[in-house]
Amino acid sequence: MLNFEFQNPTKIIFGKGQISKLSDEIRKDQNILMVYGGGSIKKNGVYDQVTKALKDHQVTEFEGVPANPEYETLLEALEVIREKEIDFILAVGGGSVIDGVKFLSAAAKFEGKEPWDILANSIRTYKGLPFGTVLTLPATGSEMNSGSVISRRETQEKRAMGGPGLFPQFSVLDPEVIHSIPQRQIANGLVDSFSHVLEQYLTYPVAARLQDRIAESVMQTLIEVAPKVMEDPSDYDAASDFMWSCTMALNGLLRVGSPNDWSTHMMAHELTALYGIDHARTLAIIHPSQMSHMFDDKKEKLAQYGERIWNITEGSVEEKAKQAIQKTENYFHSLDIKTKLSEYTEDYEKTAEIIKKRFEERNWKGLGERKNISPEDAEKIVEMSY
Ligand code: NZQ
Ligand code: ZN
């Protein structure tokens, strides 16, 4: 096992009816900005629960953070924070709203001129404006981590940011919110969280047995509940397992003491930036070709994953590893998620070259757990996913 430090300060408030506890988590003298997305919370009862819980607090609302939170929109919210002297932000939504709020938390304390520099220059945030979240869509794990991904349509960019100052103070996880999520978004959540485990698990063996088994149990739970939540999102037991698995997949616990990859996410983010494809679907496009291209580096863990997750018992390490890649792709297909770029856009032929150039411009010489995925490798991987 590699050396590590671990600290996660986010308080999780989990279960039915827990949104009412918001009033205990935010002080009455705080000036709150409640941030949400395109209005799903007004149809499914979440808005009513939040406003009821905060009826004696001072709340200003900011509506309209879009999926893949957009920089321009967030700058409008930043104006409100400054004008109204907001000192607490409450995100009510999925990963996009929460990530948008993390950006606001960082930007409100940022002393530079152009907040985009936080993303472009990878400036870490050590102290942000305090915020909490009410999660409405299990997927990203953003409710219990300190990362955020922001898009800028003007330049077709999607960049990541983070820092120890960007953990939510608390997150309310009520599995009942899942009943209103469209099936397509539930499938996205299942694939995104599964991918988060793969990024931290499918590297090379370092005898981190406990982390491996926690990772495997998150994947097994996701696979087990997937058909249940897809069929009936109001199945509370399945929804609870789904929600907690998504949080556990990316709250830092799996990454400690072992190597981490994340190159699939880096390539996939470019596909969303270029074509607006849903985050989870871009991961399903890149994962199989990334695993195949990096086969020699990953085959031991791929074989272990094949044995323990997909019950592949026959064959050599290489054979098991190959079958594991196929099983992963089949799993994405079983959720009605396509795994080829050409199935999402006709305009794909120059994609690999564009991504290679972007990585070169950013000086991203070596991605992945061994830092050996060059811009040329990224080009090949993206090409293999056409
Ligand atoms: O905007 P509203 O009206 O709320 O509708 C949303 C949105 O259209 C809807 N929705 C959310 N909860 C719902 C609901 N509809 C009905 N009932 C509910 N209970 O779902 C749509 C998608 O929401 P979004 O927040 O965009 O989805 P998700 O949670 O998948 O977030 C995706 C974003 O997170 C980033 C992605 O790149 C992407 O920008 N990620 C963030 C990470 C992090 N911070 O750790 C890690 C991830 O790898 C990922 O990159
Ligand atoms: Zn993701």
Side-chain angles (χ1 to χ4, degrees), residues 35 53 204 219 224 242 294:
V35 178
Y204 53 87
M219 290 189 279
E224 184 179 334
F242 171 38
M294 302 311 295

Side-chain angles (χ1 to χ4, degrees), residues 71 110 112-123:
Y71 182 59
F110 181 60
K113 239 183 169 174
E114 168 73 62
W116 184 255
D117 288 347
I118 302 172
L119 295 129
N121 302 335
S122 307
I123 297 173

